[in-house]
Amino acid sequence: MPNAKVLSEKQAIVAELTEKIQKATAGVIVDYKGITVEEDTALRKECRENAVDYAVVKNTLLRFAFNNTGLSELDDLLNGTTSLALCDDPVAPARVMANYAKKLNDKFEIKGGFMDGKPVDLATIQSLAAIPALPVLQAQVLGTMLAPITGLAVVLKQIAEKNGAPAEEAAPAEEAAPAAE
């Protein structure tokens, strides 16, 4: 039987893991076997940049935390080397981990994950990873909204230039053009 001090330390770790899992919108469980220190450092840097909480976790402690949060279906994934990526953004951990799984091939493997308190399969994680980052999505939406306005401005400028008005006088020339017809 472990001594009381070690047991209380492990209980504190499980309580902290349980709290992190409950607060996170999504999480990805990864087998990191065989990655180098440089690759791990680069992964951790990218995780920090994307606000992803990434840590290597003992399987038994993670199993207790998953059982405390109702994610006991993920217990089968907890074997071998295990790390956990958590985030409030449901897409960020999947995207970061999937990018590294592609870069490192067989050294880094996604085991599974959860989203909104429910286990998700590997296919769901892969489809989440395909979604661009939020700033990219915002830029795409903004570009879509600006495209018609930009197109109209280009057409109006071309009409003004065709009528012989200089580029600076495009707006006044446009007002005069319908009256001349």
Side-chain angles (χ1 to χ4, degrees):
M1 181 129 182
N3 72 29
K5 182 181 176 189
V6 172
L7 188 59
S8 67
E9 288 173 358
K10 289 183 178 183
Q11 288 173 339
I13 292 170
V14 169
E16 182 183 347
L17 268 173
T18 301
E19 184 180 339
K20 284 182 178 182
I21 292 169
Q22 287 172 336
K23 287 182 180 178
T25 303
V28 177
I29 305 165
V30 178
D31 182 353
Y32 64 91
K33 178 179 40 201
I35 65 172
T36 65
V37 173
E38 293 85 21
E39 292 165 342
D40 186 55
T41 303
L43 171 63
R44 289 175 187 274
K45 181 179 182 238
E46 188 169 339
C47 285
R48 278 191 303 275
E49 290 171 355
N50 289 287
V52 175
D53 183 14
Y54 175 79
V56 173
V57 187
K58 289 188 174 236
N59 289 327
T60 43
L61 300 178
L62 191 54
R63 186 173 287 115
F64 282 122
F66 279 158
N67 290 335
N68 290 344
T69 57
L71 292 168
S72 56
E73 295 94 353
L74 297 174
D75 286 354
D76 295 340
L77 304 175
L78 302 178
N79 48 34
T81 54
T82 303
S83 61
L84 180 65
L86 301 170
C87 190
D88 291 335
D89 178 4
V91 177
R95 187 179 57 250
V96 172
M97 297 300 128
N99 286 344
Y100 264 80
K102 285 179 193 172
K103 285 181 191 176
L104 303 176
N105 293 331
D106 58 344
K107 292 183 186 178
F108 196 82
E109 179 185 341
I110 296 175
K111 295 180 181 182
F114 65 92
M115 189 167 71
D116 294 327
K118 295 178 182 70
V120 294
D121 60 350
L122 191 57
T124 304
I125 293 171
Q126 294 295 341
S127 60
L128 284 171
I131 297 172
L134 185 60
V136 173
L137 286 174
Q138 289 170 336
Q140 288 174 345
V141 169
L142 191 60
T144 303
M145 292 170 60
L146 290 177
I149 296 168
T150 305
L152 178 64
V154 168
V155 168
L156 291 176
K157 181 181 176 198
Q158 289 175 345
I159 290 172
E161 288 175 354
K162 182 179 177 184
N163 291 337
E168 297 88 37
E169 298 177 12
E174 198 56 32
E175 293 171 7
E181 291 177 357

